[in-house]
């Protein structure tokens, strides 16, 4: 498992996945207060900046416990936070994690999610030696499902009315990706898989 007090920074062609700190709370609030961004999220949109500050604190606490790795997705040129990508519920014994991601609405349709998720998956399968990564997606979230299936995730099952968000009961579509499937797609070896 990874040691240290901060996540390593991951670089892609256009993006940097980096540690989030309290100075990023306003950008996170902009993302997570947007009803369109949170339409298929498991919680309602933020109503106050304090919620974004609390999110940063929770990210740091769970990283110290090594159960959550959440990066801010930033533009390389501006360092502006435009999304997040997360490996959550890290389970070292079973070498698995759950994937989550969000992108600011103004950046939808630009390949940001695919690029950021690809970097996080490469880190998970290589550096962390994960065997399996799972995603829990609202089945109406066609854009996120497309991103995941493009990256090799397979649909594994539907859980009816798993979440209650506000007054709405929401289903969950589960998708999974194994290290050997990632290697076959990517051509890169993943140690210990």
């Amino acid at each position: 498992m990874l040691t240290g007090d901060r996540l390593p920074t991951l670089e892609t062609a256009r993006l940097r996945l980096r540690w989030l700190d309290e100075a990023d709370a306003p950008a996170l609030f902009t993302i997570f207060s947007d009803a369109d961004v949170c339409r298929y999220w498991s919680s309602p949109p933020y109503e106050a900046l304090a919620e974004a500050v609390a999110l940063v604190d929770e990210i740091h606490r769970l990283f110290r416990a090594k159960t959550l790795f959440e990066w801010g997705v930033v533009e390389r040129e501006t360092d502006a936070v435009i999304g997040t990508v997360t490996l959550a519920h890290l389970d070292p014994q079973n070498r698995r994690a759950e994937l989550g991601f969000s992108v600011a609405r103004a950046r939808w349709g630009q390949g940001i999610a695919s690029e950021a998720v690809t970097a996080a998956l490469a880190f998970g399968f290589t550096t962390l030696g994960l065997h399996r990564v799972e995603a829990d997606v609202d089945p109406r979230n066609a854009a996120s499902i497309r991103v995941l299936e493009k990256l090799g995730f397979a649909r594994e099952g539907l859980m009816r009315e798993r979440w209650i968000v506000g007054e709405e009961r929401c289903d969950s579509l589960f998708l999974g990706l194994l290290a050997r499937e990632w290697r076959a797609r990517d051509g890169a070896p993943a140690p210990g898989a």
Side-chain angles (χ1 to χ4, degrees), residues 104-140:
R105 184 169 24 117
R107 301 306 301 269
W108 287 359
Q110 299 174 19
I112 301 294
S114 293
E115 192 171 329
V117 169
T118 297
L121 289 172
F123 177 83
F125 287 127
T126 58
T127 304
L128 297 180
L130 294 176
H131 171 70
R132 174 183 171 80
V133 176
E134 302 166 356
D136 167 1
V137 183
D138 188 305
R140 300 168 295 177

Side-chain angles (χ1 to χ4, degrees), residues 27-48:
L28 293 170
F29 177 71
T30 298
I31 293 166
F32 291 113
S33 65
D34 185 323
D36 289 334
V37 171
C38 294
R39 172 67 183 102
Y40 301 119
W41 211 248
S42 58
S43 58
Y46 289 175
E47 295 181 359

Side-chain angles (χ1 to χ4, degrees), residues 5 14 35 43 50 85 92 101 103 122 149 160 165 173 185-186:
D5 62 348
R14 298 179 294 165
S43 58
V85 65
F101 56 94
V103 176
E149 290 181 335
R160 299 173 301 144
V165 182
L173 175 65
R185 175 205 163 277
D186 194 44

Side-chain angles (χ1 to χ4, degrees), residues 22-88:
E22 195 166 314
D24 296 311
L28 293 170
F29 177 71
T30 298
I31 293 166
F32 291 113
S33 65
D34 185 323
D36 289 334
V37 171
C38 294
R39 172 67 183 102
Y40 301 119
W41 211 248
S42 58
S43 58
Y46 289 175
E47 295 181 359
L49 178 61
E51 293 172 279
V53 172
L55 173 64
V56 173
D57 290 342
E58 180 181 28
I59 290 167
H60 292 179
R61 182 179 58 77
L62 294 174
F63 174 75
R64 285 191 300 275
K66 300 300 187 262
T67 60
L68 177 129
F69 292 1
E70 185 162 352
W71 291 267
V73 177
V74 303
E75 297 176 293
R76 288 175 66 133
E77 295 177 8
T78 66
D79 201 45
V81 175
I82 58 172
T84 62
V85 65
T86 309
L87 294 173

Side-chain angles (χ1 to χ4, degrees), residues 79-99:
D79 201 45
V81 175
I82 58 172
T84 62
V85 65
T86 309
L87 294 173
H89 303 114
L90 289 157
D91 179 349
Q93 179 179 341
N94 294 297
R95 296 178 30 225
R96 69 161 209 88
E98 296 174 22
L99 173 73

